[in-house]
Amino acid sequence: MPDNSRTPQSYARGELVIVVDVAELKRAADFWTQALGFVQEGDAGGRYLSLLPVDGSGIEVLLQKVDDEKHGKNRLHLDLRTHDLDAEVDRVRALGASVVTEEPIVESGWTWHVLADPDGNEFCVLQAPSQQA
């Protein structure tokens, strides 16, 4: 049942939720709550676990426990846009992420690294052209 104290992210016909397949809910929740600054709703005892913005407003990240292993590159991923690329990469690495790219990628002024969460799901940490020294 939806929590009336939160304001979900809407789209034209309803509510937008991002679902991330994971092997272990608790491990994934520990990583993503710290990486995003979100809070966990519920416990990690079932198949699903919601992660919500602290203020209750915005996109819900729903972790879904799956038995199958990840194969190949993600077709959809999260971008974490930051003011300090190196500091943010270091921060999420300390939480358990691994860096996929050896060197930063630069395209159209944007600079980023591809990383993977503890389940191997890729995500990017990016810095906008206007925020670079």
Side-chain angles (χ1 to χ4, degrees), residues 58-109:
I59 295 176
E60 172 185 351
V61 175
L62 181 65
L63 303 177
Q64 174 179 258
K65 185 178 183 324
V66 296
D67 294 328
D68 54 319
E69 293 183 20
K70 180 187 173 300
H71 298 282
K73 183 183 180 301
N74 292 8
R75 296 295 299 234
L76 177 74
H77 66 269
L78 302 180
D79 278 357
L80 306 182
R81 293 181 178 176
T82 184
H83 300 290
D84 188 336
L85 180 67
D86 293 334
E88 186 65 355
V89 168
D90 289 344
R91 187 184 74 83
V92 294
R93 283 186 66 212
L95 298 174
S98 57
V99 179
V100 176
T101 51
E102 290 185 29
E103 296 293 326
I105 299 165
V106 179
E107 185 177 302
S108 300

Short mmCIF file of all heavy atoms in Angstrom, two decimals, residues 58-109:
data_model
loop_
_atom_site.label_atom_id
_atom_site.label_comp_id
_atom_site.label_asym_id
_atom_site.label_seq_id
_atom_site.Cartn_x
_atom_site.Cartn_y
_atom_site.Cartn_z
N GLY A 58 10.25 12.04 -4.93
CA GLY A 58 11.09 11.66 -6.06
C GLY A 58 10.98 10.19 -6.42
O GLY A 58 10.04 9.49 -6.03
N ILE A 59 11.96 9.73 -7.17
CA ILE A 59 11.94 8.38 -7.74
C ILE A 59 12.26 7.34 -6.68
O ILE A 59 13.24 7.46 -5.95
CB ILE A 59 12.95 8.27 -8.90
CG1 ILE A 59 12.53 9.18 -10.04
CG2 ILE A 59 13.06 6.82 -9.39
CD1 ILE A 59 13.52 9.22 -11.19
N GLU A 60 11.43 6.32 -6.62
CA GLU A 60 11.68 5.15 -5.78
C GLU A 60 12.61 4.20 -6.53
O GLU A 60 12.44 3.97 -7.73
CB GLU A 60 10.37 4.44 -5.48
CG GLU A 60 10.51 3.11 -4.78
CD GLU A 60 9.19 2.38 -4.61
OE1 GLU A 60 8.12 2.98 -4.88
OE2 GLU A 60 9.21 1.21 -4.22
N VAL A 61 13.60 3.66 -5.84
CA VAL A 61 14.43 2.60 -6.39
C VAL A 61 13.98 1.32 -5.72
O VAL A 61 14.04 1.19 -4.49
CB VAL A 61 15.93 2.86 -6.14
CG1 VAL A 61 16.76 1.67 -6.62
CG2 VAL A 61 16.38 4.14 -6.84
N LEU A 62 13.47 0.40 -6.51
CA LEU A 62 12.96 -0.86 -5.99
C LEU A 62 13.97 -1.96 -6.27
O LEU A 62 14.28 -2.25 -7.43
CB LEU A 62 11.62 -1.22 -6.64
CG LEU A 62 10.96 -2.50 -6.17
CD1 LEU A 62 10.56 -2.40 -4.70
CD2 LEU A 62 9.74 -2.82 -7.04
N LEU A 63 14.54 -2.53 -5.21
CA LEU A 63 15.46 -3.65 -5.37
C LEU A 63 14.65 -4.92 -5.48
O LEU A 63 13.73 -5.17 -4.70
CB LEU A 63 16.40 -3.72 -4.16
CG LEU A 63 17.22 -2.46 -3.89
CD1 LEU A 63 18.05 -2.65 -2.63
CD2 LEU A 63 18.09 -2.09 -5.07
N GLN A 64 15.00 -5.75 -6.46
CA GLN A 64 14.28 -7.00 -6.72
C GLN A 64 15.29 -8.15 -6.66
O GLN A 64 16.23 -8.20 -7.45
CB GLN A 64 13.63 -6.94 -8.10
CG GLN A 64 12.99 -8.25 -8.52
CD GLN A 64 12.35 -8.12 -9.88
OE1 GLN A 64 11.15 -7.99 -9.97
NE2 GLN A 64 13.15 -8.15 -10.95
N LYS A 65 15.06 -9.05 -5.71
CA LYS A 65 15.95 -10.20 -5.57
C LYS A 65 15.66 -11.19 -6.69
O LYS A 65 14.52 -11.59 -6.91
CB LYS A 65 15.75 -10.88 -4.22
CG LYS A 65 16.72 -12.01 -3.95
CD LYS A 65 16.48 -12.59 -2.56
CE LYS A 65 17.44 -13.66 -2.16
NZ LYS A 65 17.91 -14.57 -3.14
N VAL A 66 16.71 -11.56 -7.42
CA VAL A 66 16.58 -12.53 -8.51
C VAL A 66 17.63 -13.62 -8.33
O VAL A 66 18.68 -13.39 -7.73
CB VAL A 66 16.74 -11.85 -9.90
CG1 VAL A 66 15.63 -10.84 -10.15
CG2 VAL A 66 18.09 -11.20 -10.04
N ASP A 67 17.33 -14.79 -8.85
CA ASP A 67 18.25 -15.92 -8.74
C ASP A 67 19.25 -15.98 -9.89
O ASP A 67 20.34 -16.53 -9.74
CB ASP A 67 17.48 -17.24 -8.68
CG ASP A 67 16.67 -17.36 -7.41
OD1 ASP A 67 17.09 -16.81 -6.37
OD2 ASP A 67 15.59 -17.99 -7.43
N ASP A 68 18.87 -15.43 -11.05
CA ASP A 68 19.76 -15.52 -12.21
C ASP A 68 20.90 -14.52 -12.09
O ASP A 68 20.79 -13.47 -11.47
CB ASP A 68 18.99 -15.30 -13.52
CG ASP A 68 18.19 -14.01 -13.53
OD1 ASP A 68 17.58 -13.67 -12.51
OD2 ASP A 68 18.19 -13.34 -14.58
N GLU A 69 22.04 -14.88 -12.68
CA GLU A 69 23.22 -14.03 -12.66
C GLU A 69 23.15 -13.00 -13.77
O GLU A 69 22.52 -13.22 -14.80
CB GLU A 69 24.48 -14.88 -12.85
CG GLU A 69 24.76 -15.81 -11.68
CD GLU A 69 26.05 -16.58 -11.87
OE1 GLU A 69 26.91 -16.14 -12.67
OE2 GLU A 69 26.19 -17.62 -11.22
N LYS A 70 23.81 -11.89 -13.55
CA LYS A 70 23.88 -10.84 -14.55
C LYS A 70 24.84 -11.27 -15.66
O LYS A 70 25.91 -11.80 -15.39
CB LYS A 70 24.37 -9.55 -13.91
CG LYS A 70 24.48 -8.42 -14.90
CD LYS A 70 25.12 -7.23 -14.25
CE LYS A 70 25.40 -6.16 -15.25
NZ LYS A 70 26.27 -6.52 -16.33
N HIS A 71 24.45 -11.04 -16.90
CA HIS A 71 25.29 -11.33 -18.06
C HIS A 71 25.29 -10.13 -18.97
O HIS A 71 24.25 -9.59 -19.30
CB HIS A 71 24.76 -12.55 -18.83
CG HIS A 71 24.75 -13.79 -18.03
ND1 HIS A 71 25.87 -14.53 -17.77
CD2 HIS A 71 23.74 -14.44 -17.40
CE1 HIS A 71 25.56 -15.58 -17.04
NE2 HIS A 71 24.27 -15.54 -16.79
N GLY A 72 26.45 -9.69 -19.38
CA GLY A 72 26.55 -8.59 -20.34
C GLY A 72 26.31 -7.23 -19.72
O GLY A 72 26.13 -7.08 -18.53
N LYS A 73 26.32 -6.24 -20.59
CA LYS A 73 26.16 -4.85 -20.19
C LYS A 73 24.70 -4.52 -19.91
O LYS A 73 23.81 -5.00 -20.60
CB LYS A 73 26.68 -3.95 -21.33
CG LYS A 73 26.63 -2.48 -21.02
CD LYS A 73 27.10 -1.67 -22.24
CE LYS A 73 27.06 -0.20 -21.99
NZ LYS A 73 25.76 0.34 -21.66
N ASN A 74 24.48 -3.67 -18.90
CA ASN A 74 23.13 -3.19 -18.62
C ASN A 74 22.62 -2.40 -19.82
O ASN A 74 23.37 -1.66 -20.45
CB ASN A 74 23.12 -2.23 -17.43
CG ASN A 74 23.43 -2.87 -16.12
OD1 ASN A 74 23.80 -4.03 -16.04
ND2 ASN A 74 23.28 -2.10 -15.08
N ARG A 75 21.35 -2.53 -20.13
CA ARG A 75 20.74 -1.72 -21.17
C ARG A 75 20.17 -0.42 -20.58
O ARG A 75 19.84 0.50 -21.31
CB ARG A 75 19.62 -2.51 -21.86
CG ARG A 75 20.10 -3.74 -22.61
CD ARG A 75 20.99 -3.39 -23.77
NE ARG A 75 20.28 -2.57 -24.72
CZ ARG A 75 20.17 -2.84 -26.00
NH1 ARG A 75 20.74 -3.90 -26.51
NH2 ARG A 75 19.52 -2.04 -26.79
N LEU A 76 20.04 -0.36 -19.28
CA LEU A 76 19.55 0.81 -18.57
C LEU A 76 20.42 0.96 -17.33
O LEU A 76 20.77 -0.04 -16.69
CB LEU A 76 18.09 0.58 -18.16
CG LEU A 76 17.41 1.67 -17.35
CD1 LEU A 76 17.10 2.87 -18.25
CD2 LEU A 76 16.12 1.14 -16.76
N HIS A 77 20.79 2.20 -17.00
CA HIS A 77 21.64 2.37 -15.82
C HIS A 77 21.36 3.73 -15.17
O HIS A 77 20.72 4.59 -15.77
CB HIS A 77 23.12 2.24 -16.18
CG HIS A 77 23.62 3.32 -17.08
ND1 HIS A 77 23.60 3.20 -18.45
CD2 HIS A 77 24.14 4.54 -16.82
CE1 HIS A 77 24.09 4.30 -18.99
NE2 HIS A 77 24.43 5.14 -18.01
N LEU A 78 21.86 3.90 -13.96
CA LEU A 78 21.73 5.16 -13.25
C LEU A 78 22.96 6.02 -13.52
O LEU A 78 24.07 5.52 -13.65
CB LEU A 78 21.64 4.92 -11.74
CG LEU A 78 20.50 4.04 -11.24
CD1 LEU A 78 20.58 3.91 -9.73
CD2 LEU A 78 19.16 4.61 -11.65
N ASP A 79 22.74 7.33 -13.61
CA ASP A 79 23.83 8.31 -13.68
C ASP A 79 23.81 9.10 -12.38
O ASP A 79 22.76 9.61 -11.97
CB ASP A 79 23.61 9.30 -14.83
CG ASP A 79 24.07 8.78 -16.17
OD1 ASP A 79 24.61 7.66 -16.24
OD2 ASP A 79 23.87 9.51 -17.17
N LEU A 80 24.97 9.20 -11.74
CA LEU A 80 25.12 10.04 -10.56
C LEU A 80 25.93 11.25 -11.02
O LEU A 80 27.13 11.15 -11.26
CB LEU A 80 25.84 9.30 -9.44
CG LEU A 80 25.25 7.95 -9.02
CD1 LEU A 80 26.06 7.37 -7.87
CD2 LEU A 80 23.79 8.08 -8.64
N ARG A 81 25.27 12.40 -11.18
CA ARG A 81 25.94 13.62 -11.63
C ARG A 81 26.43 14.37 -10.41
O ARG A 81 25.67 14.63 -9.49
CB ARG A 81 24.98 14.48 -12.46
CG ARG A 81 24.62 13.78 -13.75
CD ARG A 81 23.69 14.61 -14.59
NE ARG A 81 23.41 13.92 -15.85
CZ ARG A 81 22.57 14.38 -16.75
NH1 ARG A 81 21.94 15.52 -16.56
NH2 ARG A 81 22.35 13.70 -17.85
N THR A 82 27.70 14.72 -10.43
CA THR A 82 28.35 15.29 -9.25
C THR A 82 29.20 16.50 -9.61
O THR A 82 29.56 16.69 -10.77
CB THR A 82 29.21 14.21 -8.57
OG1 THR A 82 29.77 14.73 -7.37
CG2 THR A 82 30.32 13.71 -9.48
N HIS A 83 29.54 17.28 -8.60
CA HIS A 83 30.41 18.44 -8.78
C HIS A 83 31.89 18.05 -8.70
O HIS A 83 32.75 18.80 -9.14
CB HIS A 83 30.11 19.51 -7.72
CG HIS A 83 28.72 20.01 -7.77
ND1 HIS A 83 28.24 20.81 -8.80
CD2 HIS A 83 27.67 19.83 -6.95
CE1 HIS A 83 26.97 21.08 -8.59
NE2 HIS A 83 26.59 20.50 -7.49
N ASP A 84 32.18 16.89 -8.11
CA ASP A 84 33.57 16.46 -7.91
C ASP A 84 33.69 14.98 -8.29
O ASP A 84 33.43 14.10 -7.46
CB ASP A 84 33.98 16.70 -6.46
CG ASP A 84 35.46 16.46 -6.23
OD1 ASP A 84 36.11 15.71 -7.00
OD2 ASP A 84 35.99 17.02 -5.24
N LEU A 85 34.07 14.73 -9.53
CA LEU A 85 34.12 13.38 -10.07
C LEU A 85 35.02 12.46 -9.23
O LEU A 85 34.59 11.38 -8.81
CB LEU A 85 34.61 13.40 -11.52
CG LEU A 85 34.73 12.05 -12.21
CD1 LEU A 85 33.36 11.43 -12.42
CD2 LEU A 85 35.46 12.18 -13.53
N ASP A 86 36.24 12.87 -8.99
CA ASP A 86 37.18 12.00 -8.27
C ASP A 86 36.70 11.68 -6.87
O ASP A 86 36.77 10.52 -6.43
CB ASP A 86 38.57 12.64 -8.22
CG ASP A 86 39.22 12.74 -9.59
OD1 ASP A 86 38.87 11.93 -10.48
OD2 ASP A 86 40.06 13.63 -9.78
N ALA A 87 36.20 12.68 -6.15
CA ALA A 87 35.73 12.45 -4.78
C ALA A 87 34.53 11.51 -4.77
O ALA A 87 34.44 10.63 -3.90
CB ALA A 87 35.37 13.78 -4.12
N GLU A 88 33.61 11.66 -5.73
CA GLU A 88 32.43 10.79 -5.75
C GLU A 88 32.79 9.37 -6.14
O GLU A 88 32.26 8.40 -5.59
CB GLU A 88 31.36 11.37 -6.68
CG GLU A 88 30.05 10.62 -6.65
CD GLU A 88 29.31 10.66 -5.33
OE1 GLU A 88 29.80 11.20 -4.33
OE2 GLU A 88 28.19 10.10 -5.29
N VAL A 89 33.70 9.21 -7.10
CA VAL A 89 34.16 7.86 -7.46
C VAL A 89 34.81 7.20 -6.24
O VAL A 89 34.53 6.04 -5.93
CB VAL A 89 35.13 7.90 -8.67
CG1 VAL A 89 35.83 6.56 -8.85
CG2 VAL A 89 34.36 8.27 -9.94
N ASP A 90 35.65 7.93 -5.54
CA ASP A 90 36.29 7.38 -4.34
C ASP A 90 35.26 7.00 -3.29
O ASP A 90 35.37 5.95 -2.64
CB ASP A 90 37.28 8.39 -3.74
CG ASP A 90 38.53 8.56 -4.59
OD1 ASP A 90 38.79 7.71 -5.48
OD2 ASP A 90 39.25 9.56 -4.36
N ARG A 91 34.23 7.84 -3.12
CA ARG A 91 33.19 7.59 -2.10
C ARG A 91 32.42 6.31 -2.40
O ARG A 91 32.26 5.46 -1.53
CB ARG A 91 32.23 8.78 -2.03
CG ARG A 91 31.22 8.68 -0.88
CD ARG A 91 30.23 9.84 -0.92
NE ARG A 91 29.26 9.68 -1.99
CZ ARG A 91 28.15 8.94 -1.88
NH1 ARG A 91 27.88 8.27 -0.79
NH2 ARG A 91 27.31 8.87 -2.91
N VAL A 92 31.96 6.14 -3.64
CA VAL A 92 31.16 4.95 -3.95
C VAL A 92 32.03 3.69 -4.01
O VAL A 92 31.56 2.59 -3.71
CB VAL A 92 30.27 5.12 -5.22
CG1 VAL A 92 29.21 6.17 -4.98
CG2 VAL A 92 31.07 5.41 -6.45
N ARG A 93 33.31 3.84 -4.35
CA ARG A 93 34.24 2.70 -4.28
C ARG A 93 34.37 2.23 -2.83
O ARG A 93 34.40 1.03 -2.56
CB ARG A 93 35.60 3.07 -4.85
CG ARG A 93 35.63 3.11 -6.36
CD ARG A 93 37.01 3.33 -6.91
NE ARG A 93 37.85 2.16 -6.59
CZ ARG A 93 39.15 2.23 -6.36
NH1 ARG A 93 39.78 3.38 -6.41
NH2 ARG A 93 39.82 1.15 -6.10
N ALA A 94 34.45 3.16 -1.91
CA ALA A 94 34.56 2.83 -0.49
C ALA A 94 33.31 2.10 0.01
O ALA A 94 33.37 1.32 0.97
CB ALA A 94 34.81 4.08 0.34
N LEU A 95 32.17 2.30 -0.67
CA LEU A 95 30.93 1.63 -0.31
C LEU A 95 30.83 0.23 -0.90
O LEU A 95 29.93 -0.53 -0.55
CB LEU A 95 29.72 2.46 -0.77
CG LEU A 95 29.58 3.85 -0.16
CD1 LEU A 95 28.43 4.59 -0.83
CD2 LEU A 95 29.37 3.75 1.35
N GLY A 96 31.72 -0.11 -1.83
CA GLY A 96 31.70 -1.44 -2.43
C GLY A 96 31.60 -1.46 -3.94
O GLY A 96 31.56 -2.53 -4.55
N ALA A 97 31.56 -0.30 -4.59
CA ALA A 97 31.52 -0.27 -6.05
C ALA A 97 32.90 -0.59 -6.61
O ALA A 97 33.92 -0.41 -5.95
CB ALA A 97 31.08 1.12 -6.54
N SER A 98 32.91 -1.06 -7.84
CA SER A 98 34.18 -1.28 -8.53
C SER A 98 34.18 -0.41 -9.79
O SER A 98 33.13 -0.18 -10.41
CB SER A 98 34.36 -2.75 -8.89
OG SER A 98 33.29 -3.22 -9.67
N VAL A 99 35.35 0.08 -10.16
CA VAL A 99 35.49 0.93 -11.34
C VAL A 99 35.66 0.04 -12.56
O VAL A 99 36.52 -0.83 -12.58
CB VAL A 99 36.67 1.90 -11.19
CG1 VAL A 99 36.81 2.77 -12.44
CG2 VAL A 99 36.50 2.78 -9.96
N VAL A 100 34.85 0.25 -13.58
CA VAL A 100 34.90 -0.53 -14.82
C VAL A 100 35.85 0.11 -15.82
O VAL A 100 36.59 -0.58 -16.51
CB VAL A 100 33.48 -0.69 -15.41
CG1 VAL A 100 33.52 -1.40 -16.75
CG2 VAL A 100 32.57 -1.43 -14.43
N THR A 101 35.85 1.44 -15.90
CA THR A 101 36.71 2.15 -16.84
C THR A 101 38.06 2.44 -16.21
O THR A 101 38.13 2.83 -15.05
CB THR A 101 36.06 3.49 -17.26
OG1 THR A 101 35.69 4.20 -16.09
CG2 THR A 101 34.85 3.26 -18.14
N GLU A 102 39.13 2.22 -16.99
CA GLU A 102 40.47 2.50 -16.47
C GLU A 102 40.75 4.00 -16.42
O GLU A 102 41.38 4.48 -15.49
CB GLU A 102 41.53 1.79 -17.33
CG GLU A 102 41.51 0.29 -17.17
CD GLU A 102 42.63 -0.37 -17.95
OE1 GLU A 102 43.69 0.26 -18.13
OE2 GLU A 102 42.44 -1.52 -18.35
N GLU A 103 40.31 4.70 -17.42
CA GLU A 103 40.48 6.15 -17.50
C GLU A 103 39.11 6.79 -17.64
O GLU A 103 38.18 6.18 -18.17
CB GLU A 103 41.33 6.52 -18.73
CG GLU A 103 42.75 5.99 -18.69
CD GLU A 103 43.57 6.64 -17.59
OE1 GLU A 103 43.36 7.85 -17.32
OE2 GLU A 103 44.43 5.95 -17.01
N PRO A 104 38.96 8.04 -17.20
CA PRO A 104 37.67 8.71 -17.38
C PRO A 104 37.33 8.83 -18.87
O PRO A 104 38.21 8.98 -19.71
CB PRO A 104 37.88 10.10 -16.78
CG PRO A 104 39.14 10.03 -16.00
CD PRO A 104 39.94 8.89 -16.55
N ILE A 105 36.06 8.77 -19.17
CA ILE A 105 35.55 8.97 -20.53
C ILE A 105 35.20 10.45 -20.65
O ILE A 105 34.61 11.03 -19.74
CB ILE A 105 34.31 8.09 -20.78
CG1 ILE A 105 34.68 6.61 -20.63
CG2 ILE A 105 33.69 8.39 -22.14
CD1 ILE A 105 33.48 5.69 -20.51
N VAL A 106 35.56 11.06 -21.78
CA VAL A 106 35.25 12.46 -22.03
C VAL A 106 34.49 12.53 -23.34
O VAL A 106 34.96 12.03 -24.37
CB VAL A 106 36.52 13.33 -22.09
CG1 VAL A 106 36.15 14.78 -22.38
CG2 VAL A 106 37.33 13.21 -20.81
N GLU A 107 33.31 13.16 -23.30
CA GLU A 107 32.49 13.30 -24.50
C GLU A 107 31.65 14.56 -24.38
O GLU A 107 30.95 14.74 -23.37
CB GLU A 107 31.59 12.07 -24.66
CG GLU A 107 30.79 12.05 -25.93
CD GLU A 107 29.97 10.77 -26.06
OE1 GLU A 107 30.58 9.69 -26.05
OE2 GLU A 107 28.74 10.88 -26.15
N SER A 108 31.72 15.41 -25.37
CA SER A 108 30.96 16.67 -25.41
C SER A 108 31.15 17.48 -24.13
O SER A 108 30.21 18.10 -23.63
CB SER A 108 29.47 16.38 -25.63
OG SER A 108 29.28 15.70 -26.85
N GLY A 109 32.35 17.43 -23.57
CA GLY A 109 32.66 18.19 -22.37
C GLY A 109 32.34 17.48 -21.06
O GLY A 109 32.81 17.86 -20.01
#
